Amino acid sequence: MGSKIHILKSDIANKIAAGEVVQRPASAVKELIENSLDAGATSISVMIKDAGKLLLQVIDDGEGMSAEDALLAFRRHATSKIATAEDLENIRTLGFRGEALASMGAVAQVEMKTRTAQQDVGTLVRVEGDEVKEHGAVACEQGTVLSVKNLFYNTPARRNFLKSQQTERKNVTDVVTRMALAYPEVAWKYVSDDETILDLRPKFIEDRLKDVLGVKQFGQLLKVDEKTDFLSLQGFIGKPDFARKSRIDQFLYLNRRYIVNRAINHAVFQAYEHLLIKGTFPFFVLNLTVDPRTVDVNVHPSKMEVKFGNESQVYRFVLSVIRQTLAHHDLVPMMTVEGGIGTAGPDSRLRFSGNPAVQREGGWSAETMAIPGQTDVEELFRKARPATDGSRFTPIFQPPAERIIQQEQAGTPAAEGAGEGRAIWQIHNKYILSQVKTGLMIVDQHVAHERILYEKALANFENNLPSSQQLLFPQTIALPPDDYMLMQDLLPHLAALGFVLKPFGKNTVVIDGIPADVRVGNERKILEDVLDEFRNNEHQSTIDARDNLAKSFACKAAIKAGDRLKTHEMISLIDQLFLTSMPYVCPHGRPVVVKISIEELDRRFGRT
Ligand code: ADP
Ligand code: MG
């Protein structure tokens, strides 16, 4: 009896296999560029016609191939990059599977011209539908020219499967851009249907980013650079203001290979927690360097997926590096005047007395700007001294007895007693104004206190060292049944915050003590409000209970707009604000601090 199984002829096998490596013009371009980079090219030029369907060509000045290698390169599993199974565990090149050229040769008309530095004459190879049509000598530059014509000409199903011209072209553009960002030291040229899209000189990454994104956008980025013995992370991340509605501007590389990895993306995203408006995503260009032995890049033929030996370690590393980068930058929104008198020439001053309506035009807009050199924030960090009890935070308000005396004195303008020689004012019982080296800083007192209390609450949960004030007259309060149950659920966490509560049964609870930051007399309302707020937030399923409680407490216990503050209270508030890990945004993402530079004021008053 004959056998029903037979081995596929190589041309069919190659056609099938080709589908995994070369799915569309963009994947062919990616493979060709990887080959050029592996060949040590310093200049790579990519040309496509008709979104790469008619022609895609990659020209490099790399090491080239001998006449013999030029032919071998089209054979499946033919590679110069690995030889042994051990090599597979230690991949230092972009390619290693020996499939790309064989695949393209199976599903397109491919022409290769190549020459090494040692040869005087180059080699020409033409492969069509898995058949070598030509192999001979040709005059050419050192390096390799690979032209792929009529991709999928012999696999109509695959060809029909391609998306619109626009989409396919965009995919190619994305590939070239990713590679150009990863390899700034290489010169890149990218031409689509005779239109030059990119023409980039070799640069440092900073300048490459400026070329690709524009200088203005570059100003929105923060540098990331951290090394340990096992891992390093370098690149740039966007300031929170620069976040986008989609994830398009996220470039993640592993050993300079563009990868897609949800865990690491999540780590970056997590570091921005509370800094981003909901539904927006941070910009980043990050390269993670790891020992190739600790990662498997051979998960999928496209080599875009990777498997880390220790993913949670990498996750924590990325999270902490990005967090630190964000925390160490001055993200204070800077007020600037858009257009109008701010930016016009000196003559514009004369129009100052014109129609007031025109004056208002353009208005104020908050825009984040990097503050060069030593920042005021560093100054504030220095001034903010840790409390004597070792904790970073002290209550903004004094103990009750002292408060009474202060209340009597209330009404003294805070401005007079610029305590500790610091100029500080409260306006409209809502904002705190303070002079800083580069201008004027305005703080929203409520959100500032919210940020302080939030971090304090988190720290309390962590250390379980509540600081509470005993109530002279314990309060017995009756709660609605569901609040009572919620209170019981949260009892240990509420205790960590500093609430000393004794459930009494029948929906009543005795409040014996309250967090040190809560004003006596408000305890009942604050407890009720916190439970309310907690319930409101519960629908946002992502928040965990402790974080929710910390946020709810911070929001409800913080001083309000309308609360009058004394000078020392303002100073204490500002000092503590700058001891938090993220002074510029409240736990809900609202800005806390806004700055007006002295230059801006000078411009406004026509002093420039
Ligand atoms: P892989 O890159 O996985 O080794 P390819 O099919 O992409 O497999 O390429 C096969 C071989 O051809 C490579 O290993 C390399 O030696 C050679 N080669 C391909 N492209 C180039 C190039 N642009 N310059 C020099 N050598 C190349
Ligand atoms: Mg390759």
Side-chain angles (χ1 to χ4, degrees), residues 124 196 371 454 540:
L124 171 87
T196 303
I371 291 126
Y454 171 67
Q540 304 165 357

Side-chain angles (χ1 to χ4, degrees), residues 259-560:
I259 60 161
V260 175
N261 185 287
R262 286 184 64 182
I264 297 177
N265 276 18
H266 188 267
V268 177
F269 190 72
Q270 194 63 25
Y272 277 83
E273 205 194 0
H274 311 312
L275 289 177
L276 294 172
I277 298 165
K278 267 216 170 61
T280 63
F281 301 92
F283 171 96
F284 60 82
V285 178
L286 290 170
N287 180 43
L288 192 60
T289 310
V290 305
D291 183 330
R293 274 174 287 243
T294 65
V295 63
D296 183 4
V297 291
N298 194 19
V299 179
H300 186 269
S302 72
K303 299 166 285 179
M304 219 133 81
E305 270 172 62
V306 300
K307 236 199 180 95
F308 291 99
N310 190 345
E311 188 171 83
S312 63
Q313 187 199 352
V314 178
Y315 182 96
R316 284 195 305 275
F317 174 71
V318 172
L319 175 66
S320 92
V321 171
I322 302 299
R323 244 189 209 152
Q324 276 168 32
T325 305
L326 286 165
H328 287 151
H329 279 86
D330 186 351
L331 302 175
V332 185
M334 185 76 91
M335 288 290 207
T336 50
V337 180
E338 258 175 24
I341 54 165
T343 46
D347 274 357
S348 65
R349 260 184 281 165
L350 301 174
R351 278 183 259 125
F352 193 80
S353 56
N355 180 354
V358 179
Q359 298 295 322
R360 256 177 266 120
E361 209 183 60
W364 297 84
S365 73
E367 183 182 312
T368 328
M369 270 169 43
I371 291 126
Q374 199 211 6
T375 63
D376 294 311
V377 173
E378 285 168 19
E379 190 184 0
L380 286 161
F381 271 112
R382 254 187 295 115
K383 278 189 180 160
R385 288 176 310 272
T388 39
D389 65 355
S391 105
R392 288 192 303 157
F393 304 111
T394 47
I396 302 238
F397 300 114
Q398 300 294 314
E402 228 177 299
R403 282 199 61 77
I404 297 162
I405 301 160
Q406 284 162 11
Q407 228 103 66
E408 283 164 6
Q409 294 169 345
T412 319
E416 275 174 41
E420 297 189 4
R422 235 195 282 174
I424 195 159
W425 304 267
Q426 187 186 31
I427 58 164
H428 294 269
N429 292 339
K430 205 192 301 190
Y431 297 111
I432 297 168
L433 270 53
S434 176
Q435 179 187 319
V436 288
K437 207 158 57 208
T438 53
L440 174 67
M441 182 176 74
I442 308 169
V443 173
D444 181 322
Q445 64 185 38
H446 170 68
V447 288
H449 199 201
E450 216 179 325
R451 164 55 69 184
I452 295 164
L453 292 180
Y454 171 67
E455 294 205 1
K456 192 172 174 176
L458 293 182
N460 281 349
F461 290 148
E462 209 58 50
N463 315 323
N464 212 7
L465 282 175
S467 73
S468 44
Q469 37 179 330
Q470 202 70 25
L471 287 183
L472 212 49
F473 305 103
Q475 293 255 345
T476 307
I477 61 169
L479 292 170
D482 49 348
D483 270 8
Y484 186 77
M485 279 158 65
L486 180 62
M487 186 267 303
Q488 281 189 310
D489 284 351
L490 295 177
L491 211 54
H493 299 324
L494 286 165
L497 283 179
F499 282 102
V500 185
L501 304 172
K502 289 208 192 93
F504 210 67
K506 295 208 175 118
N507 299 330
T508 56
V509 58
V510 178
I511 309 178
D512 263 347
I514 55 173
D517 306 276
V518 171
R519 286 184 178 194
V520 179
N522 287 352
E523 57 274 3
R524 180 192 193 119
K525 182 156 179 20
I526 286 179
L527 181 63
E528 286 168 359
D529 285 354
V530 167
L531 294 173
D532 247 17
E533 179 75 11
F534 183 91
R535 208 192 310 280
N536 284 342
N537 295 341
E538 239 180 346
H539 309 294
Q540 304 165 357
S541 53
T542 52
I543 305 196
D544 79 296
R546 285 202 323 190
D547 195 54
N548 183 0
L549 186 60
K551 277 182 185 153
S552 304
F553 172 71
C555 174
K556 294 304 171 186
I559 49 174
K560 304 265 177 296

